[in-house]
Amino acid sequence: MSDAVDALIRDLSDRDREVRRAAEDGLVALGARSVDRLLPYVRDERRDSPRFGAESVLKRLGDQALPRLREIRRHGPGHLRGKALEALVELGGAEALDDADRRAVERLVRIKLLDEGRVELPLDAGRWLAFPADRLDDAVSALGLHDLRPATVVTGVEAATRAADSLEFEDSRGEKQTAYRVFITPEFDNWRGDPPTGKWRLVWGNAFVDECDGFLLADRLSERCGEAHFYVIDPYHSGSLWYVARDGRRVRSYGTYDYPEFRGEPLPFEVSYIEDAANGIDEEYAEGVSDAGIAADHLSVEPGPMPIEDTHGHGWLATTHPDAPNARFKGALPI
């Protein structure tokens, strides 16, 4: 059996797609007996590693693999325990962990939060909301969020913009629902605005923003928080959008593909740009600021590296449905 399994694992790296597929099928047919031999290749970065084939087999095994993975976590072998933890979360979410592992992960998150250091919010996530930091409870209520969990920025951004950030499931009444993961950042100072605009939190969640409409979400946030913003930076289509709502209504917006592009009266921070354009400097700003990054820098916070001295508290990872806690979302996340 051992030689046969070794041969199948070698075939996972074969150049012939049919050979690779047959090897996967053979390992899946072995069920949980193949788990120990596959785990060493999970997230294996070596060039000739059968990593992707091994991870595909584990994914196809799904729930069949969970009991053996839990057994490895408790009883070893020791060199596979770390990989078993990753595989458990990848296949079943945090729900697949036993109480001891769940507590261990929570302790690790708390330790990381104590020394998170300088954080960076990536622009490649593309779209986000902003609200005054002192209105966190109001924002949570306005967005209908549940199961708030402390999270590092690395975890939150990955969960809400790159990993599987939506989940289809049946609720307690047996009805089909979709839940989304949402990340609320720590508090960030804005000293660059004129005048400074205080502390802000940002909201990330690509599927959530796309499905629920960022404009409507900004309006809802502003009803409860007084003011809220929605920003989009789309380098692939040379697009830029920013939207400011106060007390539930838009006061100013710009959109590359809107007609007209500008709506509402110019905000105070735009005045100097408009005056410069009138004097022949940066004439693209004749009607106002069209760059969402510049607008965010003045109005709230522009994503990018955040100075430690301007960062306060920690972020929160949440979901949008009470029957779909964070633990139900599958996939291992960085901490």
Side-chain angles (χ1 to χ4, degrees):
M1 174 67 76
S2 177
D3 291 342
V5 174
D6 286 342
L8 289 172
I9 288 177
R10 283 196 302 272
D11 285 347
L12 291 175
S13 301
D14 197 276
R15 293 184 178 182
D16 189 316
R17 180 184 299 177
E18 294 303 319
V19 172
R20 296 197 304 272
R21 181 67 181 182
E24 283 195 25
D25 291 343
L27 289 163
V28 170
L30 291 173
R33 290 176 294 172
S34 64
V35 168
D36 292 53
R37 308 299 290 275
L38 295 167
L39 275 182
Y41 303 106
V42 170
R43 298 185 186 271
D44 185 2
E45 300 292 343
R46 289 176 297 178
R47 186 173 182 179
D48 58 347
S49 169
R51 167 186 175 175
F52 297 108
E55 291 175 353
S56 176
V57 172
L58 286 169
K59 187 173 183 178
R60 290 173 63 187
L61 286 173
D63 291 348
Q64 291 184 63
L66 298 182
R68 177 55 188 155
L69 291 170
R70 293 191 189 99
E71 187 177 345
I72 292 171
R73 285 294 300 162
R74 298 281 69 82
H75 305 295
H79 69 284
L80 294 181
R81 282 190 171 124
K83 296 290 183 73
L85 179 62
E86 291 185 47
L88 277 167
V89 178
E90 192 69 38
L91 297 178
E95 279 189 336
L97 302 180
D98 63 19
D99 290 342
D101 274 341
R102 198 172 293 120
R103 288 194 297 269
V105 171
E106 290 172 354
R107 283 197 302 272
L108 179 58
V109 170
R110 289 196 296 270
I111 291 170
K112 289 285 188 179
L113 287 172
L114 290 173
D115 189 29
E116 188 167 15
R118 188 183 189 188
V119 303
E120 183 163 352
L121 299 173
L123 278 171
D124 61 5
R127 46 214 181 273
W128 69 96
L129 298 153
F131 65 90
D134 61 352
R135 306 301 293 270
L136 176 61
D137 290 343
D138 290 320
V140 169
S141 177
L143 298 177
L145 302 182
H146 303 271
D147 190 36
L148 270 71
R149 301 280 178 167
T152 64
V153 170
V154 170
T155 298
V157 171
E158 181 75 18
T161 67
R162 295 170 183 158
D165 58 345
S166 64
L167 174 70
E168 294 184 356
F169 68 101
E170 287 190 358
D171 64 17
S172 54
R173 296 173 295 181
E175 297 178 358
K176 291 185 177 180
Q177 302 284 352
T178 302
Y180 304 96
R181 274 201 293 209
V182 177
F183 177 59
I184 299 177
T185 69
E187 300 180 6
F188 299 117
D189 291 327
N190 179 337
W191 300 111
R192 295 174 293 283
D194 186 19
T197 56
K199 294 181 174 64
W200 291 81
R201 288 184 185 265
L202 310 186
V203 179
W204 300 82
N206 285 354
F208 174 60
V209 169
D210 291 345
E211 183 64 26
C212 299
D213 190 323
F215 303 101
L216 295 179
L217 292 173
D219 288 344
R220 282 163 49 187
L221 274 171
S222 72
E223 285 179 348
R224 298 294 297 269
C225 303
E227 181 170 332
H229 312 153
F230 175 44
Y231 301 96
V232 177
I233 295 177
D234 182 1
Y236 300 105
H237 300 94
S238 300
S240 184
L241 179 150
W242 58 274
Y243 178 95
V244 176
R246 291 174 182 154
D247 300 320
R249 305 178 70 177
R250 169 175 45 197
V251 296
R252 178 67 164 166
S253 69
Y254 168 83
T256 302
Y257 302 111
D258 288 351
Y259 185 80
E261 293 181 333
F262 286 97
R263 298 186 184 187
E265 294 299 314
L267 297 178
F269 84 91
E270 296 180 88
V271 172
S272 62
Y273 289 89
I274 294 172
E275 290 175 348
D276 285 345
N279 293 322
I281 304 172
D282 291 331
E283 295 181 5
E284 63 181 297
Y285 299 131
E287 296 182 64
V289 171
S290 56
D291 187 300
I294 292 176
D297 197 36
H298 283 277
L299 293 168
S300 52
V301 177
E302 180 183 14
M306 298 295 169
I308 293 177
E309 62 272 18
D310 291 347
T311 304
H312 310 279
H314 60 74
W316 298 92
L317 190 60
T319 79
T320 60
H321 199 286
D323 290 345
N326 282 291
R328 291 191 67 175
F329 286 78
K330 297 179 181 181
L333 298 171
I335 298 176

